[in-house]
Amino acid sequence: MSSAPWWKSAKAIEAESFSDWQELRTEDGLVYYFNRKTQETTWDKPAELMSEEEKAYESNWVWVPDETEVYVAGRIIDDSGAAQVAVEMENGGERMCSRASLISMKQSSLQRIVSDLTLLDEMSIPLILHCLRKRFEGGKIYSAIGTILISINPYTQLDLYTPKMIRKYRNSLEEHREVPPHVFVIADQAYKGLTFASGPNQSIVISGESGAGKTEATKQCLSYLGAVAGSVAGVEKKVFDANPILESFGNAKTVRNNNSSRFGKYVEIYMNQHLQLMGGKTTNYLLEKVRVSRQGESERNYHFFYMLTKGCDRALRKELELKTPDHYAICTEGHCVQVPGINDKNDFEEINQAFRTLQFRETDVHSIFRFVAGILHIGNVQFDVVQSQYADDGSSVSAASGADLAKCGKLWRVDVKKLEAGITHKALVMPGNRTVEKGLNPRDAHDQRASLIKFVYSKLFDWLVIQINKSMEPKAAVYKSIGLLDIFGFEIFQRNSLEQLCINFCNEKLQQLFNFTVFKLEEKVYRDENIGVDHVPFIDNQPILDLIEKKPHGLLPLLDEEGITPGGSEDKYREKLRAQYSGHKYFKRYGKDDLCFVLTHYAGQVVYATDGFMAKNKDILDEGLLLLLDSSKEPIIQTLFSKNKKGGGGGGLSSAKRKMTLSAQFRTQLNKLMQTLHATQPHYIRCIKPNDSKEPLQFVPRACFEQLTYSGVFEAVKIRKGGFPFRLRHTEFADRYRCILEEDNVACGNGKQGCRDICTHLHLNASNIREGRTMLLYRALEHRVLELKRNIIMEKRKMNETLKALIQTNVATLAEPELHFERMARVVRACKRYNIQNALSEKAKKLLNQFIESRIDAQTKNLLEQAIAEKDLDKLERVCAIIEREQYETEKCKLALRMRDRIHVINRESEQAVVTLDTSHMEACLFAATELDYTNDYIDYFRWMFDTLGKDSEKFVQEQMRQAVKMGDLKRQLRLNIKLKDLVFDKLHQSFAIQNCPVLKEDHDWAAEKLFGRDKLRQNMMTWTADEIHSHLTTTLDKKHKKEGRELFKSIQIYMGDRENKHKTQEELGLDIVIRGHQQKEFGDEIYCQLIKQLTNNNRPQSVNRGWNLLNLCLYVFSPSRELENYLEVFIRNQPQERKERSLTALQSILYSASGGMKKTPTLKDMQDILNGIRPVKRDFLENPPEGPSWAPLTVSFYDDKAEDAEEYFDSASEQLAGAHAPQPKLVNNKPLKSKKGKNKAPPQTASPAAAKFNFGQNLGTSNKGPPANPLQQQMLAQQQKAEEERRRKEEAQKRRRQPEAHEEKEKEKKTKLPQPKQQPKQQKKQPASEYKWLCHLDPESGDVFYERISDGVTQWDRPKEAVKPHWLAHLDAESAELYFENIDSGVTQWNKPDEFSDPDEQWIARLDADSGEYYYENVETQKTQWEVPSCFAEKVPDQEWMRHFDPTSGEYYYENVRNGQTTWDPPAGVNFQ
């Protein structure tokens, strides 16, 4: 038969309609679905490929309210009830739910996880929460609502803020390319907002609870602005260095946050006309003064107290008479001195550098140290009672505290006796301005001292802000500004005071601003422009604001009035509140305590305790203490408190200032801030705290839901989805974008007509554009197209002019030609980015290459040639370091950079591929390595597997299986087991014929149970029959089941249509059979064997079809026994392809899926759903669906032009940033992701349809060499040998260690001779380690580190230049009850156990035993060793035995037994995790 003409085939292909979704198979033969357009993959069948029955199954899905999860997905399985319906949950359980409480959904919407929430198919709260959760648990902490950013704190380090990432976002945003949501996008939008000549200043409002990540978001916004904009005279460096100073004096460790800002700040960044940073200003709000004198449990004081006590050098420590922080009351009240992730010692050095950058005078800095040290000393002062017969008891400083008081007086340079009198007496102003002193009892004296240190610290902080602002004052007129608001989050404690009322009042104001700009202002614009957008209801918080601040009866004005009223008191204040607001909607009495009242804020109800309101509101210091401070000779105190000083801090002595209450000051500041923000175009970052325990990437739905609700996120999604966030007046729009038409020689009108001309010419989507009365409003996609077109045109014009000027310049006349060519390089890069190719750009590129090549010395050129020719990584590293340092950008230099990066990827990916031995991963590594003629141990090993074993051969898969077993990867073992079965059954399928199955009776035994016709029965035991059977087929049933076995066979015959029955329908009988197998396990194998019998040699098509239907029903509901499963699988495999595929998938699912089978008794509807294929099999033994793997770039040829462009653009040859960038975030709030013990999941793999085709294994059998050792095993062996050598060396050193008596003598000598460096007797010297020359120790008296030379025992205080052996101390973290470890030499802290560490007193040393992998412990004094853990290293065992952790690699939770270290994927029985 002749083939169809080519033109007919071509026409047919052209007319054929292809779905975007394609059904594909992984290398293991598993079906998944791939979208050709979006590159999305999923195991679930997309709607486009579903049948009508499958779509009906989809339509029954709903969101079910849940106490813990907020909402969970389920499917209605019985809706016959009027008010209650039965819902099957995703986990297989059932729940009766109120019909009214359910929210309908499409099951397919669960798979659509989008980065911008306005793109969701449905605007339901459950779906928004689900989308945020899935993104977060996948490590994507940022999501967008149009131009609003949602940021969820990951509590772990993510590679999101590097210079490379800044360049990537800057370049992509300049070209208006799609980028994932990021804090950099918000910063860029604010920066671009300054480009509109008549536009307003910009602001970024960052809000959220304490611990939600506001401070980090602020720093990264500043980092992006500083790096992208550049600055005048390095101003951005000052902006960055201001932050460490403010954080050290204003941030502290709290139970919610290890680096919590305890003050609010508004940072303004000033820009010149070139949009470069030219200065800045910080305004601070409401420092938490009470923290200076009192901290909560597991909390710390302000960071600087710990920095000073740990970081000062010996000379400064001696002058300030300081010890370690655990010696000071104000540092230890919270029982937390050290915080994992915070290096106080190094931070102190950073602060000193910041002081220098910001041009603080050395005398002022030194005076600050003296001032803070004085606070530490006076905080230790205790008081004794002084009894009096004629007046109330007084107090005096206790004799034991006299030295502390004297140290404070000395450092503050005040009279010690007057200082004692000031904190033990109160100055009372009598009529006629006469002052008398009243003695204070010890409790009041303690409060007086607390008032003093709170007041002086607050004034110091204010002064620091003023000095920082002075150093950043702009030297010229400010063009525009960007403000960043990082202010305290909403606070709700059991009892809240005046500070919390002010903080929550501030958050109400910010929420009002959000409501105004996002809701009110947006809707007002739509109404004014008459474009008809639906109203979105939201919470208007104006009533609560009036309740707090409106004069004359607002809570705060009423408090101010009571403070100046003669005879005013807190009792009278409370009475006035109750009388004024008894029926108010947002105010109510607190029944448990008359001192309290309750306010209903937008974030919930808050209880405020009024005791202490009036004293805090006055915010003044005792007159006697003010006079004392005024008399000080210490420079910083004179600056802050002297009456004669002008400027500086203001001291708080101004009568006008002192009359203004705390709440009045705060309201004034806040109103000024709101005026400033209302005059800007605000951008919003909503920070969310995902859990209270700071657990990495753990999402607690209830907590996140409440924060999202209170902050108006759900309403914002609705209005942004239906809104038009971009708008310009008609004239502005036409003027801005008419250049697009001019470029194409098309006429453009003015005003409205110009807008229409532009939209028509660009074919913009009319549904996304609204023409209002005065302006044109449009959405993000249209904005992106317009800006991209305009930018390219403007850049082309600008580039052409610049290129002409550069080319025409006579370089010989220039004093610094390097600057000329540096500018030319930037222009050439811009030409490439905007695809500008003309004679000018080519000439400039040629001139630039000539100049660069002329700068490269001969030695470097030679090294470059060798490195490229030999592909030698060492030479490539050396030459690339030179290239990057000198910024050479010739074609060969770029090739070397790309080659180095490529080899790094090969090494990295081959090292990862050897862990799993995944076929595609190994192939990609081999392809990339072969192309470059490069190899390493891993590549050699992969090549042996392919060439010697043969790809996908039985031995090949067995090698993969061995590695999966070593890795403890159960799910991969199951998938490889399936693959091995394919190979084995292809060879040995005859051995697994059903007649050989051990659960079957022997044919002669079965036939012998009947008297007549035994030979025929024996021969036809497992073939179809229309007759009855005389006995059951399997040994799993005994004689008493003989009759039931016969009846069961009749039912199967009736269901298959081989026997008539008038009592029940076939479907009812089929359900009875399946229920029998589900409920009575012993009948399961009997059912399967009877079905195999009736499907063998059956010539009746209808009977066969119904028999296979019944088999598939059984495979969905109950599993065969282990003895039968292989025989059943071979039976299924021997069927035609169209028959076996569904049954084989069902068999594998029920055998290997953790949730396989049905828990509940099946119903007729269940059976119908299964047969219609709309109830999918459960395959939770699979990995996540295939996705773009990390090794995907290796599948693209190194010499491919597109690959070259991509690598160059994003990696080695990226354009330099205009300014500096902030350092990576510190680890103060981040815990490392704990490694799982026992089970490790392999990374998700893919079988991409577009993947390169590899042919490795073509030389199969050509190698006669034995198998090489797996490099991973070689590494482990080498590590074990190294550890063994180290253990032996240490044991030998222990034998030579001196006796305990000599040790005591040495300790005594250390105490008496330090600080003078001491000599150790020669006979006591230690054996030198090969890499270390010195040991470090902690001096218990001073808390300083000193160093001991290993060779001769010489000690010294100064750190030597030679290598120092790390000395790790173990500390118990008060919050987590876990040990963390501090390197006393570097100050670094970590959670992971080092190989050797000691307790802080150096009484015990723990060492890792290489053989067992466990630690043993040596007593330093007795030199005895033991396996038992000493009490100093004992971690507290939590009350609960099991802890839950999130594994970001797999996206699943695993569980750890804290008592024995056991880990498991399965939730422990009887344990409820909230």
Side-chain angles (χ1 to χ4, degrees), residues 1413-1466:
E1414 298 181 1
Y1415 285 85
Y1416 66 94
Y1417 304 90
E1418 177 191 355
N1419 187 298
V1420 174
E1421 185 174 352
T1422 65
Q1423 299 180 26
K1424 292 182 178 179
T1425 59
Q1426 62 184 50
W1427 289 106
E1428 293 77 16
V1429 181
S1431 58
C1432 57
F1433 295 135
E1435 297 182 274
K1436 295 178 183 176
V1437 179
D1439 294 336
Q1440 65 182 50
E1441 184 178 2
W1442 289 89
M1443 296 182 69
R1444 183 175 68 173
H1445 305 283
F1446 182 76
D1447 173 34
T1449 305
S1450 64
E1452 298 180 4
Y1453 289 104
Y1454 68 96
Y1455 304 87
E1456 177 188 10
N1457 188 308
V1458 295
R1459 302 185 192 278
N1460 58 25
Q1462 174 193 353
T1463 59
T1464 177
W1465 290 105
D1466 302 320

Side-chain angles (χ1 to χ4, degrees), residues 4-18:
W6 67 267
W7 51 265
K8 188 172 182 180
S9 301
K11 235 176 183 180
I13 292 171
E14 185 178 347
E16 186 176 351
S17 176
F18 287 98

